[in-house]
Structures are given as structure tokens and as C-alpha cells.
Amino acid sequence: MLKRALLFVVILIGTLVVIAVAHTALTPRVSVAVVPLSQLPVDKQAVAERLAAAVRFSTISWEDPKAQPDSQLPQLIAFLRSSYPLVFSKLQQEEFPGLGLLLKWPGRDAQALPVLLAAHLDVVPVEPGTEAGWQHPPFSGDIADGYIWGRGTLDDKLVALSILEAAEAMLAQGLQPRQTLYFAFGGDEEIGGEQGAAHIAEHLRQQGVKLDYVLDEGLSITDGFIAGLKKPAALIGIGQKGYATFALSASGPGGHSSVPVDLNPLVLVSRAVARIDASKPQLTMPEPVRQMLAGIAPETPPAMRVALSNLWLSKPLVQAIFKSQPATRAMLQTVVSPTVFRSGEKDNIVPQQARAEINVRILPGDTVAAVRQRFVKAVDDPRVSIELVAGSTEPTPVSDSGSPGYRTLAGAIHSTYPDVVVAPGLVLALTDSRHYVDIAQNIYRFGPMRLRPEDLARIHGSNERISVEDYAAAVRFFATLMSAPAL
Ligand SMILES: [Zn+2]
């Protein structure tokens, strides 16, 4: 009996393996549309110097703007005006004083829906005490060793400037894009974009504008992040996680610690936090991640290719591998991070209040309301109140990776960076693009830059820099995208 059961299992596994291998062999590589590479001349040194000059304007978004020096956003915008005279004389423009800038370049095809290219001109501060760790001061805009150094070279001045460089070069040649283009540059993305991008989106909404797609920051070209993948991966974010913070609080009578009462809010809230932390959300396989794995599969070694092409069979295995690293685990899970705890003043006083905050990044398919329900169930204590803090946002709808816009974008990436594999992906953080959700058919998130694993720490960290070569490629990418024909 046992032998027959064993034989059955062996035959079953063998059959599944044969089906999986056949399925892998029959799955064609997703062909990337051919978009002709822009032949516009790019003067590497000149474009690098303009980005370096833009870096020298300190356009920091402070969490508490009153306590800090004014942002040099107006000076940066004045610099852009003088550096890109054709753009600012030929394009329609709308300035949102102190908040951002919107430019409109009418296209040749009046019937085609417009495209919005987004970027932000603000940067994050330098953490006090870390200045000495910079090889070149953060606002020096030094060009040295083949790199442009400083805050904003990766996040996100390079995108705004490379869009303007490409447009200026096209205008100089008398070229016009096919679709109408909007350039939307927010001035406060790093503190939520509630002034910049939100106002720009509202302005477009009032004019009844419907966008084909929005292209914003989010993912980029990464090399060495996915073990086994032979090529660098250019990932286009087709989905973005949601964001919410929940405040847990409790109160009690307090009193002297020598005669404690049962109702200690510090204990209640800490137990509630521990219960939420222990109730890990389940691992899933959201659509953007499924599409990412299918997209990179053809460029992986045979065993991995079989696994990634047959998630119907290998999903538990892939989930187990992803679970082992925080960065990949976050792609499969709504993640929960207790971040703030406040209670107590003195060691011999039982506190009357306790409050904790839990930050949650919500996977597409999950919702703020569902997270709240899970928290209430996990805490299971009516003495602890659970409130949603203002500023939450649902995960964005998943954008179409088969649309003409996506294919144009993928084609422009492929023409500019022929060595990469292009695939969809999921953005784990927040970007300004969420403000455009209701006026855009699709939102794609890709910044034209190459990042090695060690470069990740430069974004919002020390020694932010981009190579002169990579920056010239970014300009070429936007010139290619903006002059792309209809697909
Ligand atoms: Zn950014």
C-alpha cells in the first residue's frame, strides 16, 4: 500500500515538473516595443553643470517650516527660467507660488490624451551631525571623479532637469511631441505634496483634463538586487502601496506607584502594540509582483525560470524566499511598524495616558478599513482606542502594463539602456503620483537612473550623487520618450 502511494506521489511530482518545464518553454519573452533612440545631441558637460547648479539651491522641505530657513525654491525656478529659455518662452506655464510649477506643451495629435511627467524640486534635509560624512558638501554641486554630487542628484532634481534639457533640445530643433505633455514639478513632495502636486492636480481637475498616463519617480534600474537575475532590471511601478498611521491610546486614574491600580494605560497600550505586532498579515502575491516575476523570469537561470514562470505551482517556495529579506517580504505583505510610544513622566507615578503610533504600508488588494478591523480584533480590548491618524491613503489601483503608454515607456527605456530587462513592479513608498489617480488612466513610476545596492543608502542619506554618464543617459531617455511615435 505504502509503495503504491509513494509511486503515485513520484508520478504526480514528475507530471507537475514536466508541465512546469513545458509551460516555461512555451512562455514567450515579452517583446519590448521598438522606440527609436533620440538622436538629439547631448552635451554631457553642459547638462551636468546645469544639474550641479540646481543642486546648489537649498530647496529643503522641513517638517516644521516655521522653525527653518526659507526654501530657495523661487531662486531655483528663476534659475530654470534663465537656463531653459525656449521651454519657458514657448510652453504655457502656471506657477503655484512657493509650491510648484506646471508647464504645458501642446502636441501634434490633438485627439490623443495628454501625458504628465512629474518630478519634485524639493529635497530632504541633511541629518544633523552627518555633514562630515559627505565626500563633497551636500549643496556643493561639485562635479568630481565623474560624478555630480549633492542633495537632489538622485531624488529628484535629476528628473526635473533632464525633462527640461530634453524639451529645450527638441524645441531648438523645431520638434514637437505627438501627445500633449505636461511637466508638473512639485515643491513639497518630501512632506506629502499636499501643497504642490495636490494643487497642480486640482488645477487640472478643474480644467477637465484627462491624462493618458502620469510618469513619476518610484522605481529605477537596479543591478544586483535580485539574486540570479543576469541583467540589470528596469522596473516600472504599476502599483503603489497605501499608507496609514493608527494611534492606540488608553487612559486611567494614575496614582502613586506604591499603590498601583489595575488600570495602567502604559501596560494596556504596550500589550495592544505587542498583540498587533504578533499578528503578522498573511503573505500574498499581488498583481504587480506577479507581473514583475513573469517579466524577469526569461533572464534567470533555468531552475529559477521554471519556478518564476509557474507560480501556480511554486508560489509557496517563492514566498518563502521573499519572506527571508525585509525588502522582498514588504512586496508580499501589508507591513506594520510601531514607530512612536509616549507615556509616563516620573518613575514613581503611574501615568494617566499612553499613546502609541503604528505606521502601516498597505498592499494593493488590502484596505485601510480592513487593516483597522484586523487591529481591533488583534487587540481585543475595548479599553484601548484605535484611531486613524489624518493623512492616510489607500493603495493605488494597479495600472495596465499592456497599454500603448506602458509600451512606449518600456520601449524608450530599452532603447536608452539596451542591457536591461524591463518589467512591471510595485512601489513600496509614497510618491506625488497618488494625487493624480482620479485624472489619469494609468500611473507609471520610473526614474531614469542606475542604482547598485550600495546606492540605496545615498537616497535621503549621505553622498548622494549621479554619474555624469548616467545623467546624460537620463536626458537621452526623456528625449526618446518625448519624441516617440504612436504605438
Ligand atoms: Zn523623491
mmCIF file of all heavy atoms in Angstrom, residues 120 155-156 189-190 217, ligand 1:
data_model
loop_
_atom_site.group_PDB
_atom_site.id
_atom_site.type_symbol
_atom_site.label_atom_id
_atom_site.label_comp_id
_atom_site.label_asym_id
_atom_site.label_seq_id
_atom_site.Cartn_x
_atom_site.Cartn_y
_atom_site.Cartn_z
ATOM 1 N N HIS A 120 9.853 66.330 -8.505
ATOM 2 C CA HIS A 120 9.768 67.328 -7.437
ATOM 3 C C HIS A 120 11.094 68.049 -7.281
ATOM 4 O O HIS A 120 12.165 67.476 -7.510
ATOM 5 C CB HIS A 120 9.281 66.720 -6.118
ATOM 6 C CG HIS A 120 10.143 65.644 -5.536
ATOM 7 N ND1 HIS A 120 11.139 65.918 -4.632
ATOM 8 C CD2 HIS A 120 10.155 64.310 -5.713
ATOM 9 C CE1 HIS A 120 11.716 64.770 -4.268
ATOM 10 N NE2 HIS A 120 11.150 63.783 -4.912
ATOM 11 N N ASP A 155 17.329 62.198 -6.129
ATOM 12 C CA ASP A 155 15.948 62.380 -5.652
ATOM 13 C C ASP A 155 15.677 63.857 -5.471
ATOM 14 O O ASP A 155 15.937 64.390 -4.407
ATOM 15 C CB ASP A 155 15.785 61.597 -4.345
ATOM 16 C CG ASP A 155 14.372 61.687 -3.784
ATOM 17 O OD1 ASP A 155 13.460 62.054 -4.535
ATOM 18 O OD2 ASP A 155 14.194 61.396 -2.588
ATOM 19 N N ASP A 156 15.142 64.610 -6.434
ATOM 20 C CA ASP A 156 14.615 64.115 -7.702
ATOM 21 C C ASP A 156 14.891 65.191 -8.748
ATOM 22 O O ASP A 156 14.283 65.230 -9.784
ATOM 23 C CB ASP A 156 13.111 63.863 -7.486
ATOM 24 C CG ASP A 156 12.363 63.274 -8.655
ATOM 25 O OD1 ASP A 156 12.901 62.359 -9.312
ATOM 26 O OD2 ASP A 156 11.277 63.763 -8.946
ATOM 27 N N GLU A 189 7.127 67.522 -2.153
ATOM 28 C CA GLU A 189 6.860 66.073 -2.166
ATOM 29 C C GLU A 189 7.345 65.401 -0.897
ATOM 30 O O GLU A 189 6.705 64.501 -0.363
ATOM 31 C CB GLU A 189 7.545 65.429 -3.391
ATOM 32 C CG GLU A 189 7.162 63.959 -3.626
ATOM 33 C CD GLU A 189 7.971 62.951 -2.845
ATOM 34 O OE1 GLU A 189 9.044 63.295 -2.311
ATOM 35 O OE2 GLU A 189 7.518 61.804 -2.731
ATOM 36 N N GLU A 190 8.486 65.875 -0.407
ATOM 37 C CA GLU A 190 9.107 65.181 0.730
ATOM 38 C C GLU A 190 8.311 65.334 2.024
ATOM 39 O O GLU A 190 8.594 64.653 3.002
ATOM 40 C CB GLU A 190 10.551 65.670 0.924
ATOM 41 C CG GLU A 190 11.473 65.375 -0.268
ATOM 42 C CD GLU A 190 11.763 63.890 -0.468
ATOM 43 O OE1 GLU A 190 11.242 63.077 0.313
ATOM 44 O OE2 GLU A 190 12.509 63.555 -1.403
ATOM 45 N N GLU A 217 8.486 59.448 -10.237
ATOM 46 C CA GLU A 217 9.549 58.653 -9.619
ATOM 47 C C GLU A 217 8.952 57.413 -8.942
ATOM 48 O O GLU A 217 7.744 57.293 -8.821
ATOM 49 C CB GLU A 217 10.263 59.505 -8.568
ATOM 50 C CG GLU A 217 9.334 59.906 -7.432
ATOM 51 C CD GLU A 217 10.008 60.731 -6.346
ATOM 52 O OE1 GLU A 217 11.240 60.698 -6.244
ATOM 53 O OE2 GLU A 217 9.284 61.404 -5.608
HETATM 54 ZN ZN ZN B 1 11.618 61.815 -4.393
#
